[in-house]
Amino acid sequence: MGTPEPTDRLELSYVIPAYNSSDAIEATLKELGDRLQGTHSEILVVENGSTDGSPELLAKLERDWQFDGVDLRVLHSEKGLGHALKKGIGSSRGSSVVLSADDLPFGFDDLDEAQKIGLNKHKVIIGSKAHPKSDMDRTLLRAVLSNGFLVLRWVILGMKTRDPQGTFVLDGTWARGVVGKLTAPGFLLTTELVYLAELEGNHPVEVPVKLRRIHTGAGSTIRVFHDAYSMGIGLFKIRKLHRKTHGR
């Protein structure tokens, strides 16, 4: 079952998961407020199990919010990126729903490119690190690992999308309709979302983005064997669940 459509529809919903985000979230919300001010939009920050004072900071930011035309809502979910994204999507009211991170790694490149194409012309638009025109300044290790994970997704899921873990601009009606089918509690949630879109014939459009300078040169946090094993197990679970549902 999907989430019922909201009656007080907005233009845009920005969903920002927040886990131990006290160092970044205030600046991010100000930047979002400046960008969206005067529009009929909302920002949904989904705090999910923080231990660094993020809940208290977010409560203060919500009380003091003063950007015209932009609602700020602080929500809470179980710990885990997947739980946070599902909560945000299901609670959204926007005609379009943007999924980003607490530090806006690509700024507004994803939204700018989606607006050039036309919001809601596609169910799923991805700010893709794998797009040939994207500027990522990746280390060799990260590039090799990314290509390895791409092959793993293709072998297990037959996935054609090159980067299902970028940022997203989603058709709001479609996203709220499928959120109840999503099961991944962690980082594979967006991969599951893309897989569902591909199974339905709604092939995502990948657009170029540029990684912000603050992120370039940062060391990789990927644990090669652990993450590859976890991804493989998770992908098999996703395939088993949704191929059965779609009769494929």
Side-chain angles (χ1 to χ4, degrees):
M1 295 293 292
T3 302
E5 274 299 282
T7 56
D8 50 343
R9 181 73 65 85
L10 303 176
E11 178 183 339
L12 190 68
S13 296
Y14 246 92
V15 175
I16 306 292
Y19 174 73
N20 289 347
S21 299
S22 59
D23 289 341
I25 196 64
E26 186 169 2
T28 291
L29 291 180
K30 182 182 185 305
E31 192 170 1
L32 282 168
D34 287 337
R35 169 64 186 247
L36 300 176
Q37 189 161 237
T39 67
H40 194 43
S41 302
E42 66 179 355
I43 303 166
L44 295 89
V45 182
V46 189
E47 189 283 318
N48 58 110
S50 298
T51 59
D52 70 339
S54 290
E56 293 79 11
L57 174 60
L58 288 168
K60 179 181 183 301
L61 293 172
E62 187 177 30
R63 286 195 305 270
D64 297 342
W65 189 252
Q66 293 184 358
F67 288 90
D68 292 338
V70 187
D71 293 338
L72 173 63
R73 291 195 284 155
V74 176
L75 310 174
H76 299 275
S77 75
E78 295 179 58
K79 183 179 178 180
L81 178 62
H83 291 305
L85 291 175
K86 285 188 286 185
K87 180 75 171 184
I89 293 170
S91 302
S92 69
R93 297 172 291 167
S95 295
S96 297
V97 177
V98 181
L99 309 182
S100 191
D102 64 358
D103 55 357
L104 300 177
F106 311 131
F108 298 106
D109 291 354
D110 41 17
L111 180 59
D112 290 339
E113 292 293 333
Q115 289 175 331
K116 289 178 186 177
I117 294 171
L119 296 177
N120 302 123
K121 283 193 174 182
H122 301 276
K123 304 300 184 189
V124 181
I125 299 174
I126 301 174
S128 172
K129 300 181 293 295
H131 192 283
K133 293 184 178 180
S134 288
D135 183 356
M136 292 292 105
D137 194 23
R138 286 178 171 177
T139 63
L140 178 60
L141 173 61
R142 183 170 286 277
V144 170
L145 292 175
S146 295
N147 286 329
F149 291 152
L150 184 154
V151 171
L152 193 63
R153 291 189 296 267
W154 178 77
V155 170
I156 297 175
L157 299 179
M159 182 172 285
K160 297 179 180 178
T161 303
R162 293 184 61 83
D163 182 17
Q165 293 178 316
T167 54
F168 286 74
V169 181
L170 305 171
D171 178 274
T173 299
W174 179 82
R176 287 182 287 271
V178 302
V179 70
K181 302 175 184 178
L182 301 175
T183 61
F187 72 99
L188 284 178
L189 187 283
T190 55
T191 300
E192 185 178 16
L193 180 72
V194 168
Y195 186 53
L196 279 174
E198 288 193 358
L199 286 177
E200 294 177 357
N202 295 314
H203 296 288
V205 174
E206 297 182 74
V207 298
V209 289
K210 181 178 181 179
L211 188 66
R212 284 180 153 180
R213 185 179 299 274
I214 193 173
H215 291 270
T216 60
S220 173
T221 59
I222 294 177
R223 295 168 293 173
V224 179
F225 297 108
H226 176 273
D227 288 353
Y229 176 78
S230 298
M231 176 176 280
I233 295 297
L235 294 178
F236 276 116
K237 289 180 179 179
I238 290 170
R239 184 180 73 174
K240 181 179 180 181
L241 174 64
H242 295 298
R243 279 194 174 179
K244 181 179 179 181
T245 302
H246 284 78
R248 295 174 59 177

